Amino acid sequence: MTPPEPPGHRAPCAPGAPREPRSSRDRILARVRAAVAGGPDAPAPDRDYLTSHTPDDPDALADLLHANLTEYRAVVHRTDEAGLPALIARLLADHGARSVAVPDGLPDGWLRAADAERRTDEGPLTARRLDETDAVVTGCALAIAETGTIVLDGGPGQGRRALSLIPDLHVCVVRAPGQIVASVPRALPRLDPARPLTWISGPSATSDIELHRVEGVHGPRRLEAVLLTGVCR
């Protein structure tokens, strides 16, 4: 006598037989594929549009990025490489930051004037330790002038996504003009879609409840953006 099959058991498919989809996702995708099978290929998208509405001038792009970041309630500063360590130290002190997260690859000199405790992400930092950290200083992958957006991709000097989302203060350095592009269409070819991209337009904020703006819900309440001038890379 053949023993009964255990609950949830599926008999193996016969050789060459189509495998039955097992998840809702598989079933939905199978139905979509069946519905479009034999149909015409989708036409290529029309790319005949302006990729930028801004003059291709580095100073104009920096000014536009500055204005749009400010519109999103970020605080924007400008300095050169010689003045950057003192500026970062002042920003951390002004916000009362006693500890700062340091992503792998952050240039050593950026924090040399800061008194805050430096917490590297080697290990990495636990969720509790990161939640107890007052600030983070990062670089970025690039910044988009027309939208006032800073993009992080987890590269050197940026770290994993949690570093820029959990501390209450984010000091982000943008190299100008090298990392500033005019628009999203010009940004995308410079980004790797396989990397963990984080798009930042001002401090984290939401107005979901009765249209009252609340900052710091999904990320830092305070964003200090530093345009590091005279850097072309």
Side-chain angles (χ1 to χ4, degrees):
M1 180 177 178
T2 304
E5 293 180 349
H9 175 79
R10 291 174 179 267
C13 295
R19 188 178 184 88
E20 181 183 354
R22 294 190 176 183
S23 69
S24 297
R25 176 180 181 275
D26 290 338
R27 287 194 293 271
I28 292 170
L29 291 178
R31 291 171 185 169
V32 171
R33 294 187 186 101
V36 300
D41 293 336
D46 183 6
R47 302 293 187 186
D48 186 21
Y49 52 76
L50 290 175
T51 59
S52 171
H53 301 275
T54 307
D56 193 15
D57 173 64
D59 291 336
L61 291 179
D63 290 342
L64 182 60
L65 175 65
H66 188 145
N68 285 334
L69 281 168
T70 302
E71 185 71 18
Y72 283 123
R73 301 190 186 182
V75 180
V76 184
H77 313 266
R78 301 196 194 200
T79 188
D80 57 16
E81 289 194 270
L84 181 62
L87 175 58
I88 291 177
R90 178 174 65 80
L91 294 177
L92 295 175
D94 288 350
H95 287 286
R98 294 171 296 178
S99 57
V100 56
V102 182
D104 293 340
L106 192 78
D108 294 335
W110 285 12
L111 291 171
R112 69 169 178 261
D115 294 328
E117 174 196 352
R118 303 178 194 180
R119 297 180 176 177
T120 62
D121 198 34
E122 297 175 357
L125 289 169
T126 64
R128 171 174 286 187
R129 185 74 165 161
L130 193 52
D131 187 49
E132 295 170 347
T133 302
D134 297 320
V136 62
V137 175
T138 75
C140 69
L142 55 78
I144 304 170
E146 291 182 357
T147 60
T149 303
I150 298 172
V151 184
L152 277 61
D153 68 358
Q158 301 169 57
R160 57 194 172 103
R161 182 172 289 162
L163 289 184
S164 61
L165 292 179
I166 296 179
D168 200 50
L169 169 65
H170 183 188
V171 179
C172 187
V173 178
V174 181
R175 294 176 171 89
Q179 289 185 316
I180 302 177
V181 298
S183 63
V184 172
R186 293 191 178 179
L188 292 177
R190 294 179 54 170
L191 297 170
D192 181 354
R195 297 193 64 82
L197 302 178
T198 303
W199 300 62
I200 302 169
S201 296
S204 171
T206 181
S207 299
D208 290 344
I209 301 175
E210 297 185 358
L211 299 182
H212 294 302
R213 180 181 172 95
V214 179
E215 296 182 350
V217 176
H218 308 114
R221 284 187 301 154
R222 295 166 293 182
L223 173 63
E224 301 273 353
V226 179
L227 304 188
L228 184 59
T229 57
V231 184
C232 295
R233 61 184 186 276

